[in-house]
Amino acid sequence: PYIHALELTALLKPDAQRALVFGIGAGLLPAALEKRYCIVTDTVDIDPAIIQTAKDFFNFSPQGDVFMEDGRVVLEKSRRRYGIVVIDAFSADAPPYHLFTTEAFSAARRVLDPGGILAINLVSLVTSPGDEAWLSVYKTLRKSFPEVRAYMSGPPHEGLANILFFCSDKSLPLKNAAALARPLIAKDLTYLTTHELLPSQKNILDALSLSDDRAPLEFLMA
């Protein structure tokens, strides 16, 4: 469901010409963006075995470039501009902390076109106590993007859920965009858009802002 929900980026940014996806997995999202929405998609993964497995077993053959490199390095070095950037990267049980700092999100905004979309998948507890991880990511994103929205992409399991963040320098009419979804993913987008997470002002004040100097994301998730 969360992969289906990430297609919302293409519906929110229908004029996107190119996308950048961190974390290849089976290559499902890059394939959907290219085949369903004609968006050339560059992909990034640090693990060569993941890239080869996606090619050998899941027909991963994108039109865009495939970077076997650390995602933060790609963000900092990129001279391309993208309509869509998606961070769906995990190392063992936690995402790479250096992709979730103020500096990383600022770098992501630099490579986005005006009105571009940054989307992030984070598996986190959604009930207090334990929700500090997603709240810290939310607070950190708001330093770089005036529009930040957070949603559950499916029902929680033992308190854990895939939380999707959608960020931009412009307002995001998610429900309007979801209404344009193809039938296969419409149910998942309906769930997403009706399960927005709205932190209180106290939540925001108490949350930790993540930076390159201090980003204990693994600790918060543990």
Side-chain angles (χ1 to χ4, degrees):
Y2 89 86
I3 292 290
H4 286 166
L6 284 170
E7 288 188 35
L8 189 55
T9 54
L11 300 172
L12 287 165
K13 185 66 174 168
D15 60 344
Q17 300 293 310
R18 201 169 193 107
L20 177 63
V21 174
F22 295 87
I24 289 173
L28 299 179
L29 181 63
L33 292 176
E34 291 195 339
K35 294 175 183 178
R36 299 282 181 181
Y37 306 97
C38 300
I39 301 172
V40 176
T41 303
D42 295 341
T43 52
V44 184
D45 207 293
I46 199 170
D47 188 345
I50 293 292
I51 299 172
Q52 195 60 49
T53 299
K55 291 178 177 179
D56 291 346
F57 296 99
F58 298 98
N59 299 316
F60 178 61
S61 55
Q63 300 172 50
D65 294 326
V66 179
F67 300 102
M68 188 181 70
E69 198 164 7
D70 182 273
R72 179 67 181 272
V73 174
V74 173
L75 268 183
E76 298 290 354
K77 292 195 314 182
S78 179
R79 294 296 177 264
R80 281 181 178 157
R81 301 293 290 269
Y82 296 92
I84 296 166
V85 174
V86 178
I87 298 176
D88 184 24
F90 289 85
S91 175
D93 291 329
Y97 73 89
H98 58 296
L99 285 175
F100 285 77
T101 64
T102 298
E103 293 85 352
F105 295 151
S106 294
R109 182 164 180 180
R110 285 197 300 271
V111 304
L112 281 170
D113 292 325
I117 311 293
L118 170 66
I120 297 174
N121 173 43
L122 180 73
V123 177
S124 172
L125 288 168
V126 291
T127 54
S128 181
D131 55 358
E132 293 89 351
W134 82 263
L135 287 167
S136 291
V137 172
Y138 184 97
K139 180 175 183 175
T140 306
L141 282 165
R142 286 183 56 176
K143 288 192 169 186
S144 298
F145 293 91
E147 177 84 340
V148 178
R149 310 280 288 276
Y151 296 83
M152 289 193 298
S153 66
H157 175 69
E158 296 182 352
L160 285 168
N162 284 88
I163 299 174
L164 300 187
F165 301 89
F166 296 90
C167 316
S168 183
D169 60 357
K170 296 183 178 179
S171 63
L172 297 174
L174 281 92
K175 288 189 177 180
N176 293 343
L180 304 174
R182 57 194 176 97
L184 179 64
I185 69 172
K187 181 180 178 181
D188 294 322
L189 291 189
T190 297
Y191 184 96
L192 176 97
T193 55
T194 55
H195 288 81
E196 185 170 7
L197 298 172
L198 299 169
S200 68
Q201 191 61 33
K202 185 178 187 305
N203 289 151
I204 298 298
L205 288 172
D206 292 345
L208 179 66
S209 184
L210 305 172
S211 69
D212 283 351
D213 289 334
R214 187 185 182 203
L217 189 55
E218 291 183 7
F219 172 79
L220 295 176
M221 295 183 72

